[in-house]
Amino acid sequence: MRRTPYIFASAAALYLLVFTAWPLLDGIRLSFTDTRLLNPAAGEWIGTDNYAALLADPGFAATLGVTLLYSAATVAGALLLGTAAAVLLDRSFRGRTALRTLLTLPWAAPTVAVALIFVWIFNVDDGVLNAATGAAGLGRHGWLTAYALATVTAVSVWKVFPFVMLVVLAALQAVPRELLESAVVDGAGPATVFRRVTWPFLVPTLRVVALLMTIWSFRRFEIIWLLTQGGPVDRTTTLVIDVYRTAFLESDLGRSAAIGTVGLLLSALATVAYALAERRSTAKDLT
Amino acid sequence: MTMRRYVAILLAVALTAGCGGGAADDDGGGELVFANWQWLEPGRGEALWTAVNGYTTADPAVTLKQQAIARKDYESTLKTQIGARGGPDLLIIPDTFLPELAEAGALEPLDDVLDDAGKAALNATNDAGVLDGEQVGYAWEIVNYALFWNTKVLDQAGVQPPTDFPGLVTAAKTIKDKTGNPGFAVRHQINEEAPWWIDFSNWSYGFGGAWSKDGALTIDAPGNVAAVTAFRDMYTSGAMAVGDDASTFRSKFKAGTVGMMIDNSSALATMVAGNTVVPSTGVGASPLPFPAKASGQAGFFIGINAFSKNKTAAKKWLRWFYGAGPQKQAAAALGASVLGTDTTPPAEFVTANPWVPTFQAQAALSADAVIDGFETETPQIRHIVLTEVEKVLVDGEDPAVALARAQEAAEKLR
């Protein structure tokens, strides 16, 4: 019986070791080799050559830039839209439950189906969007060509903002009602109440959500791949798209693993930034 | 239960799992897994499978199983499976993929498969399946390209089928103006990189270009610059289905809402099969309206996975398939394609599909999209060139400058 906790813990540890730690470490090892997808056993140790090649490649710098821009815009957009929707839905009004359900749908809908629907919405000749802009005298546009990154970002924000909304909505329930009522009694307007009372309660939640959204944005593959596959002219090629393309189209597993390791470092940096912000906030609370 | 017993059970399960699957005796029987994207093609897929599966009547010890993979994901899926030393027993191999598989030692040599009579029946298309002196693939089908159109749409717009490139652009614009539908459609996006490269070779060869000569790359040769310039002019004409991938614009053609296309005979056969909106007899075809007579081709080969556990059975199947009977049935299913033997489709098929002879005639003037002398580097060069072509289309860059940049980048690969 004394061993039971160890048995349960070892199952979880074994799972993590086999499916997370080992692939991660093996991926890092691969990044120092010239392994090819069709003949992995023939890969040889080449030191930091893959990383040197990445640093020397202006295309990789552009990919990093696209990744950061896409992630920053997606996280900012989702946080803004999600928080605004949560604040709105926290109020009591007729049809609130129906609206909550409706706004949760993008998060619940299967990504593949969503992406395929958007491909049709953005179709140049037959798309609903161009039919609308054409009718409004705003012209027809190549949404997935001329404005590819902005369009992919907008779809991503639409897909993920309900997650922020749900989490913030839960956090809003934790704001003490008596504090809100006191502020109103003291003559504070809605904006002041939000800034002075609600906002401080939301910040810790938003910080965690921002971290999660950032890491997820670095790793997001399906929406981008299904809408543009990284094109046109690599304008929507993020690190994960580059990882996939390098591994499965160019068969270069070593370089692909190096790109993946850079992605891992970016996620680690985001986590460190979160930890620092958390520590600063705690220190501020203590003083 | 003690810890020791837990470990014993875990070990037993692991050992059982490790020994249970995969161990197969290569005695010429068993299940052959056959990978092909064409199994998914409505109508044609079933006809092809019937032709292929006929072997099980001749040899009941063998069963065949489809591995259907979407064309877009075909190469990447097989690379993953074969890289892990698994994958199908038999596979259809696009010509641009063949050198990469052969270099990795993933294809079983086939020199001993056919007897002398069988080898004598093969035509010259099989020569492209010989790499480093070894036959690693036999020709499954060589698919040619042509310009084709929806006769009804052209009549509606009052235009004649174009015979040169300026005429193609003018006709496409007139169709767009008169009907509101795209006048022309062709692949044009990096998100279909592998098939776009094969399609794009039509423009290069049609304008007298080539990707290499005498062992040197000729990406920025004048013919290629002219081809990219023409492609850009078509793209920016306002008459082309910009942003549509192949499955989208093919669906539109099928629905009667695209005027003209440059595409291969397999795609056309699939689009008109059982189609009452655009029947096969309502389609016209002509050689490409480009200055040179040449065009591209998509070559598909059959190979045996070197890591298959059923190589004997796969070889027996291959020997059977290149016999007269199965080839005749395959020709009926593949229609306008050129087969590995000089077997032609039934006369009634040609009568019912009047555009077939145009595609067949193109066989003598077509070439594949593998870069001679740079066979295994073709995928990387392809990505470099098509990315630069996209810059011309999307950013309006100068074709000569873009191809010069591609030439420089591609040369650095060696």
Side-chain angles (χ1 to χ4, degrees):
Chain A
M1 281 305 250
R2 276 183 305 150
R3 287 175 180 154
T4 306
Y6 297 104
I7 291 166
F8 283 112
S10 63
L14 188 70
Y15 178 85
L16 282 175
L17 199 68
V18 172
F19 294 105
T20 306
W22 180 77
L24 201 70
L25 293 173
D26 198 48
I28 294 170
R29 181 194 63 78
L30 268 182
S31 72
F32 295 101
T33 69
D34 61 358
T35 305
R36 308 288 302 175
L37 181 59
L38 271 168
N39 196 0
E44 288 182 4
W45 187 265
I46 55 166
T48 55
D49 285 6
N50 284 324
Y51 292 95
L54 286 181
L55 286 175
D57 180 5
F60 181 69
T63 297
L64 262 182
V66 168
T67 308
L68 294 173
L69 193 59
Y70 166 78
S71 300
T74 304
V75 173
L79 286 178
L80 271 173
L81 202 59
T83 307
V87 170
L88 173 78
L89 292 176
D90 192 44
R91 292 159 179 255
S92 184
F93 60 90
R94 207 177 150 90
R96 183 174 74 163
T97 310
L99 194 59
R100 274 185 182 180
T101 311
L102 197 69
L103 289 181
T104 312
L105 278 180
W107 178 255
T111 308
V112 175
V114 164
L116 293 177
I117 289 167
F118 272 106
V119 165
W120 275 104
I121 288 173
F122 296 130
N123 188 278
V124 176
D125 295 307
D126 304 322
V128 171
L129 193 57
N130 268 350
T133 55
L138 298 171
R140 303 171 85 85
H141 305 275
W143 299 101
L144 289 170
T145 48
Y147 317 114
L149 185 58
T151 305
V152 165
T153 305
V155 175
S156 304
V157 168
W158 177 86
K159 181 81 179 85
V160 299
F161 91 88
F163 174 78
V164 180
M165 182 188 82
L166 292 172
V167 175
V168 172
L169 206 51
L172 283 171
Q173 311 299 312
V175 180
R177 296 286 144 181
E178 57 273 24
L179 275 184
L180 293 169
E181 284 158 11
S182 305
V184 172
V185 170
D186 289 346
T192 311
V193 171
F194 181 77
R195 203 173 68 238
R196 299 283 184 192
V197 182
T198 311
W199 181 250
F201 277 94
L202 290 186
V203 169
T205 303
L206 286 174
R207 214 162 24 227
V208 176
V209 173
L211 173 69
L212 286 175
M213 300 291 290
T214 305
I215 292 173
W216 290 343
S217 294
F218 288 154
R219 289 172 18 187
R220 188 162 296 112
F221 178 79
E222 317 96 292
I223 289 179
I224 305 173
W225 187 253
L226 291 166
L227 288 176
T228 62
Q229 293 201 6
V233 200
D234 292 334
R235 262 188 212 133
T236 55
T237 298
T238 57
L239 284 172
V240 276
I241 298 289
D242 206 10
V243 164
Y244 181 86
R245 184 183 276 162
T246 308
F248 296 105
L249 294 182
E250 295 176 19
S251 307
D252 194 341
L253 270 189
R255 184 183 164 104
S256 173
I259 299 167
T261 305
V262 173
L264 188 70
L265 283 174
L266 276 185
S267 295
L269 277 177
T271 312
V272 169
Y274 164 78
L276 288 175
E278 190 71 17
R279 200 162 71 175
R280 191 175 301 161
S281 165
T282 312
K284 204 170 152 188
D285 289 345
L286 289 173
T287 52
Chain B
M1 195 180 279
T2 63
M3 182 68 152
R4 204 170 294 165
R5 190 169 289 179
Y6 272 123
V7 173
I9 289 171
L10 273 175
L11 272 175
V13 170
L15 285 171
T16 312
C19 299
D25 294 325
D26 194 7
D27 58 0
E31 184 181 80
L32 283 179
V33 177
F34 196 154
N36 189 354
W37 65 91
Q38 292 167 325
W39 307 143
L40 297 168
E41 292 176 4
R44 223 166 72 112
E46 288 94 5
L48 273 175
W49 184 248
T50 304
V52 161
N53 205 29
Y55 180 68
T56 54
T57 311
D59 185 357
V62 169
T63 53
L64 274 97
K65 188 181 171 191
Q66 290 185 9
Q67 186 181 357
I69 306 167
R71 177 67 189 95
K72 227 174 183 179
D73 305 319
Y74 190 75
E75 282 94 335
S76 57
T77 305
L78 287 183
K79 278 183 200 178
T80 313
Q81 293 178 348
I82 293 172
R85 299 300 179 249
D89 303 296
L90 287 157
L91 60 155
I92 299 301
I93 312 164
D95 49 16
T96 48
F97 188 32
L98 192 74
E100 195 181 352
L101 281 173
E103 194 198 33
L107 294 176
E108 177 74 4
L110 304 176
D111 293 293
D112 62 339
V113 170
L114 300 186
D115 57 19
D116 289 345
K119 283 179 182 169
L122 297 176
N123 59 30
T125 60
N126 291 279
D127 295 349
V130 178
L131 295 174
D132 288 333
E134 272 183 340
Q135 187 90 42
V136 288
Y138 285 120
W140 164 258
E141 65 166 339
I142 307 300
V143 188
N144 289 303
Y145 284 77
L147 172 75
F148 58 87
W149 56 85
N150 180 333
T151 312
K152 203 171 158 185
V153 172
L154 263 65
D155 288 347
Q156 196 185 337
V159 298
Q160 292 297 312
T163 53
D164 58 14
F165 180 68
L168 178 71
V169 178
T170 307
K173 281 181 174 171
T174 310
I175 292 167
K176 178 77 178 177
D177 291 344
K178 295 270 175 69
T179 69
N181 291 317
F184 181 75
V186 70
R187 280 197 180 99
H188 58 278
Q189 296 177 109
I190 203 87
N191 63 9
E192 298 183 279
E193 187 180 314
W196 182 25
W197 176 252
I198 297 171
D199 285 10
F200 190 74
S201 63
N202 281 301
W203 295 71
S204 175
Y205 305 162
F207 281 83
W211 301 117
S212 70
K213 193 179 177 188
D214 301 330
L217 289 169
T218 55
I219 292 168
D220 56 354
N224 293 335
V225 174
V228 175
T229 307
F231 200 88
R232 178 202 61 191
D233 292 347
M234 188 73 234
Y235 181 91
T236 55
S237 69
M240 188 171 135
V242 168
D244 288 359
D245 63 6
S247 58
T248 306
F249 65 68
R250 284 173 182 171
S251 299
K252 287 182 179 178
F253 187 87
K254 206 173 167 181
T257 57
V258 169
M260 302 174 290
M261 282 170 62
I262 290 176
D263 212 332
N264 64 63
S265 57
S266 292
L268 180 53
T270 308
M271 284 186 279
V272 296
N275 190 345
T276 51
V277 181
V278 187
S280 196
T281 48
V283 172
S286 74
L288 302 181
F290 300 151
K293 296 286 178 201
S295 63
Q297 63 173 218
F300 304 118
F301 293 80
I302 308 178
I304 296 175
N305 181 358
F307 308 107
S308 160
K309 294 185 175 66
N310 301 303
K311 281 186 272 201
T312 304
K315 286 181 180 179
K316 281 164 81 176
W317 177 88
L318 213 52
R319 199 170 299 132
W320 167 85
F321 183 70
Y322 281 90
Q327 282 290 289
K328 212 169 175 57
Q329 204 170 357
L334 290 167
S337 305
V338 173
L339 270 64
T341 61
D342 290 332
T343 313
T344 50
E348 57 268 29
F349 177 83
V350 181
T351 310
N353 300 280
W355 42 269
V356 168
T358 303
F359 282 89
Q360 286 178 328
Q362 210 53 34
L365 302 162
S366 63
D368 65 33
V370 180
I371 304 175
D372 290 336
F374 297 83
E375 287 79 5
T376 52
E377 289 103 332
T378 295
Q380 288 103 308
I381 297 172
R382 171 181 79 196
H383 184 67
I384 290 168
V385 174
L386 292 181
T387 301
E388 291 297 339
V389 174
E390 257 200 341
K391 285 180 188 170
V392 172
L393 303 181
V394 178
D395 298 340
E397 289 210 22
D398 181 70
V401 174
L403 289 186
R405 216 165 30 222
Q407 171 86 17
E408 196 184 336
E411 280 174 351
K412 282 183 187 162
L413 290 173
R414 277 200 169 166

